[in-house]
């Protein structure tokens, strides 16, 4: 039996083979590869970096679906199903809207695949594939098998999973929704084993909120320290309240942390249910503490809440420049299916597209709803301009030299590559037609 994994791109412009943007190893596929019995042959097509061979001889196609890639996933599935090859789909989007995905494939995997993967493969072998498999959320103590990535060019950064989910309930967050607002820590011995076996010098700890449980995070950082690793991860501003944690984090090799500031506006933070960011008190002081600990910040902001206008985007830009963040993202809000945000905007009749992810002609950078104080077009433009401004050579130069003292030489070099590249790619990415260019979506 042969199994073909596919990771779809978000879409491609006419005649475009690859998308020039960050391509990290798709860790989920390495986990599924580990769970696949060795007598099953496997192959991977990463649509972001290579062309899919639709004539490949295979017995089963497995597609990992995100909301951004849903339309393209459904089109890819249709090409294989035309040949009578069964297609199984899993991933965040499938869990958030299984009924939709079921229309375009033979079977869906809801939740985490680990506990049902082998059963599904065995059912395929026995000709009794079910329409739906539902996996347990907390079971994922599996070491990834990266041999599936052989011969593919990814960013030279090792990805290691430390936990899944988050305790917070930000209204736009599909991750929190997926894990029902709970955090599931991974067993430390497995994390350490993965870290000992990393291929590259730099590691990204794939966890949406690494510091969701301070005690667990503290223990983990102490255990990582003797491995002499350098790593980046994602956390919340609250970690700066705990100076011991911050110190342990830096000592364990943390050099950059992604923090979702989202907004500087109190009412916006309340509306998105992230008022803990505001309640933490003096934001500037907390940022200073993280920087003083020797950790750089990748700051993210989101715009489109009811108090947003041109001024709030300018304020965020001023704040980001003032603190010389390692890098920053200025995103417009996007209502992901089944989130509290999506439900609210639909009730308020403010969605421009009911299902933007399936909408014909919808492109990256476009708003899918009407903001209150500004037009959708204007906000899209402001976000694009803010990204462009923050990654303009002049701004990058001044940030680079201002943050030199807290960067290792490797991180410093990465800084230039990353920031200048982001600047060059913004317009390229802005107009990618979501889901295109493939055949029409099957009815
Ligand atoms: S803190 Fe981050 S991961 Fe947690 S719910 Fe909010 S946006 Fe999602």
């Amino acid at each position: 039996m042969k199994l073909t994994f596919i990771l779809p791109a978000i879409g491609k412009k006419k005649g475009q083979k690859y998308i020039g943007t960050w391509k990290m190893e798709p860790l989920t596929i390495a986990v599924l590869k580990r769970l696949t019995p060795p007598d099953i042959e496997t192959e991977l097509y990463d649509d972001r970096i290579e062309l899919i061979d639709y004539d490949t001889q295979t017995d089963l196609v497995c597609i990992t679906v995100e909301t951004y890639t849903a339309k393209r996933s459904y089109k890819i599935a249709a090409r294989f199903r035309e040949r009578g090859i069964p297609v199984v789909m899993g991933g965040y989007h499938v869990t958030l809207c299984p009924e939709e995905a079921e229309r375009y494939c033979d079977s869906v995997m809801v939740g985490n695949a680990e506990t049902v993967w082998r059963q599904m493969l065995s059912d395929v072998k026995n000709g009794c594939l079910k329409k739906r498999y539902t996996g347990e959320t907390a079971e994922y103590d599996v070491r990834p098998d990266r041999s599936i990535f052989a011969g593919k060019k990814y960013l030279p950064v090792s990805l290691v999973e430390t936990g899944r989910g988050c305790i917070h309930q930000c209204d736009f967050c599909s991750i929190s929704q997926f894990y029902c607002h709970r955090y599931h820590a991974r067993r430390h011995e497995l994390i350490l084993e993965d870290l000992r076996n990393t291929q590259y010098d730099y590691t990204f700890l794939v966890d949406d909120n690494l510091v969701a449980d301070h005690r667990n995070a503290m223990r983990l950082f102490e255990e990582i320290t003797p491995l002499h690793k350098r790593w980046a991860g994602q956390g919340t501003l609250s970690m700066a309240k705990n100076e011991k944690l911050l110190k342990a984090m830096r000592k364990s090799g943390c050099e950059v942390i992604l923090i979702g500031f989202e907004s500087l506006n109190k009412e916006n933070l309340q509306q998105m249910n992230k008022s803990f960011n505001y309640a933490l008190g003096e934001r500037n002081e907390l940022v200073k503490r993280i920087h003083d600990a020797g950790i750089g910040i990748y700051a993210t902001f989101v715009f489109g809440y009811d108090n947003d206008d041109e001024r709030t985007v300018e304020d965020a830009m001023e704040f980001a420049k003032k603190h010389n963040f390692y890098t920053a993202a200025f995103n417009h809000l996007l209502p992901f299916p089944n989130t509290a945000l999506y439900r609210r905007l639909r009730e308020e009749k403010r969605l421009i597209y009911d299902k933007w992810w399936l909408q014909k002609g919808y492109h990256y950078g476009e708003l899918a709803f009407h903001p209150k104080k500004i037009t959708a077009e204007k906000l899209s433009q402001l976000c694009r301009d803010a990204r462009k401004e923050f990654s303009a050579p002049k701004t990058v130069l001044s940030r680079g030299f201002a943050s030199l003292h807290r960067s290792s030489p490797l991180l410093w070099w990465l800084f230039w590559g990353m920031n200048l590249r982001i600047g060059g790619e913004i317009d390229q990415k802005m107009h990618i037609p979501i889901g295109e260019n493939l055949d029409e979506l099957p009815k």
Side-chain angles (χ1 to χ4, degrees):
M1 178 173 159
K2 186 172 163 191
L3 160 64
T4 302
F5 290 108
I6 295 182
L7 185 79
I10 60 173
K12 295 183 187 180
K13 294 178 186 173
K14 244 193 169 64
Q16 184 184 35
K17 279 187 182 169
Y18 316 117
I19 297 171
T21 186
W22 305 104
K23 291 140 204 144
M24 289 208 184
E25 289 176 349
L27 191 59
T28 316
I29 290 171
V31 170
L32 296 178
K33 165 70 181 167
R34 169 72 65 197
L35 289 164
T36 305
D39 62 320
I40 297 180
E41 197 188 329
T42 54
E43 64 178 351
L44 162 65
Y45 290 108
D46 188 333
D47 188 33
R48 303 170 304 168
I49 58 169
E50 62 195 336
L51 298 177
I52 298 169
D53 178 4
Y54 290 100
D55 296 320
T56 186
Q57 291 309 309
T58 188
D59 301 291
L60 177 69
V61 169
C62 172
I63 307 182
T64 303
V65 188
E66 291 170 18
T67 304
Y68 262 119
T69 63
K71 197 195 320 177
R72 196 167 171 90
S73 301
Y74 301 157
K75 290 179 177 184
I76 292 170
R79 297 278 290 265
F80 285 100
R81 294 177 88 202
E82 267 168 26
R83 291 175 51 208
I85 298 165
V87 175
V88 176
M89 288 183 182
Y92 281 106
H93 186 77
V94 171
T95 298
L96 294 175
C97 11
E99 287 81 17
E100 175 191 293
E102 270 171 354
R103 290 175 47 208
Y104 301 101
C105 63
D106 298 280
S107 177
V108 293
M109 309 206 91
V110 176
N112 290 155
E114 283 91 338
T115 49
V116 283
W117 182 250
R118 288 198 181 111
Q119 182 61 53
M120 183 278 292
L121 291 176
S122 151
D123 288 351
V124 172
K125 270 190 179 172
N126 297 324
C128 55
L129 181 66
K130 295 184 190 71
K131 283 295 287 176
R132 191 182 285 200
Y133 294 85
T134 303
E136 295 295 323
T137 299
E139 293 289 328
Y140 64 100
D141 283 351
V142 179
R143 276 178 302 114
D145 177 355
R146 291 182 166 83
S147 64
I148 191 81
F149 302 143
K152 301 197 194 295
K153 263 194 150 181
Y154 289 113
L155 274 178
V157 174
S158 299
L159 269 59
V160 172
E161 192 167 29
T162 50
R164 292 179 184 175
C166 180
I167 48 167
H168 298 299
Q169 301 188 26
C170 305
D171 75 341
F172 59 87
C173 184
S174 50
I175 288 143
S176 177
Q177 186 74 36
F178 184 104
Y179 290 104
C180 303
H181 322 300
R182 287 184 59 205
Y183 181 69
H184 305 274
R186 190 178 181 212
R187 269 187 17 231
H188 288 195
E189 57 268 37
L190 288 162
I191 302 172
L192 298 176
E193 195 181 334
D194 273 2
L195 280 167
R196 277 188 210 101
N197 292 316
T198 50
Q199 188 186 350
Y200 303 110
D201 284 347
Y202 221 86
T203 301
F204 180 55
L205 297 185
V206 187
D207 191 326
D208 295 295
N209 186 3
L210 185 59
V211 291
D213 175 346
H214 280 205
R215 274 173 62 190
N216 173 62
M218 187 76 184
R219 244 186 340 106
L220 180 64
F221 299 151
E222 284 166 0
E223 288 163 359
I224 292 177
T225 303
L227 303 183
H228 304 294
K229 291 285 167 186
R230 283 181 298 178
W231 60 269
Q234 305 185 74
T236 53
L237 198 55
S238 66
M239 68 190 190
K241 285 263 169 184
N242 185 340
E243 296 209 43
K244 264 190 174 169
L245 182 75
L246 217 51
K247 263 195 189 155
M249 198 169 178
R250 180 66 194 99
K251 204 171 162 203
S252 72
C254 177
E255 296 192 335
V256 176
I257 193 88
L258 184 150
I259 293 179
F261 289 89
E262 321 306 4
S263 179
L264 305 180
N265 178 285
K266 185 180 176 186
E267 286 74 31
N268 280 346
L269 287 168
Q270 273 167 352
Q271 190 174 34
M272 71 179 80
N273 205 20
K274 201 164 186 166
S275 32
F276 59 86
N277 257 9
Y278 189 82
L280 287 167
E282 186 47 53
R283 200 185 280 119
N284 290 325
E285 171 57 25
L286 296 177
V287 168
K288 188 175 174 302
R289 278 190 206 172
I290 297 172
H291 280 161
D292 287 351
I295 299 172
I297 295 176
Y298 177 165
T300 64
F301 302 93
V302 69
F303 304 98
Y305 281 92
D306 290 357
N307 273 293
D308 276 322
D309 55 16
E310 287 190 40
R311 186 67 234 167
T312 53
V313 183
E314 281 166 23
D315 288 347
M317 173 60 67
E318 214 174 279
F319 177 73
K321 280 184 180 171
K322 178 172 123 186
H323 288 293
N324 292 308
F325 287 134
Y326 188 78
T327 191
F330 301 85
N331 300 317
H332 66 74
L333 190 59
L334 203 52
F336 283 90
N338 244 329
T339 56
L341 171 73
Y342 184 89
R343 290 189 287 272
R344 177 171 68 80
L345 291 172
R346 194 177 49 192
E347 271 164 31
E348 293 174 4
K349 302 202 185 324
R350 287 168 62 193
L351 290 176
I352 299 173
Y353 309 115
D354 197 33
K355 293 187 175 186
W356 55 267
W357 56 95
L358 298 183
Q359 184 66 35
K360 195 175 168 62
Y362 178 81
H363 63 81
Y364 186 88
E366 187 180 351
L367 262 83
F369 71 100
H370 296 291
K372 273 219 164 132
K373 292 189 174 173
I374 194 166
T375 65
E377 295 75 22
K378 181 74 185 168
L379 187 58
S380 167
Q381 186 63 34
L382 285 174
C383 291
R384 178 254 172 219
D385 292 350
R387 282 184 220 141
K388 206 79 188 162
E389 185 179 336
F390 201 68
S391 54
K394 197 173 136 215
T395 322
V396 173
L397 215 64
S398 81
R399 283 193 287 123
F401 286 102
S403 58
L404 176 62
H405 62 284
R406 57 174 176 262
S407 295
S408 65
L410 175 67
L411 200 69
W412 205 57
W413 282 116
L414 276 174
F415 172 87
W416 302 109
M418 187 192 217
N419 280 282
L420 294 169
R421 193 173 160 171
I422 288 174
E425 284 179 353
I426 289 165
D427 286 329
Q428 245 182 319
K429 218 174 160 192
M430 275 293 284
H431 302 289
I432 291 173
I434 298 298
E436 312 297 332
N437 273 296
L438 274 172
D439 306 332
E440 286 302 298
L441 199 56
K443 295 283 173 224

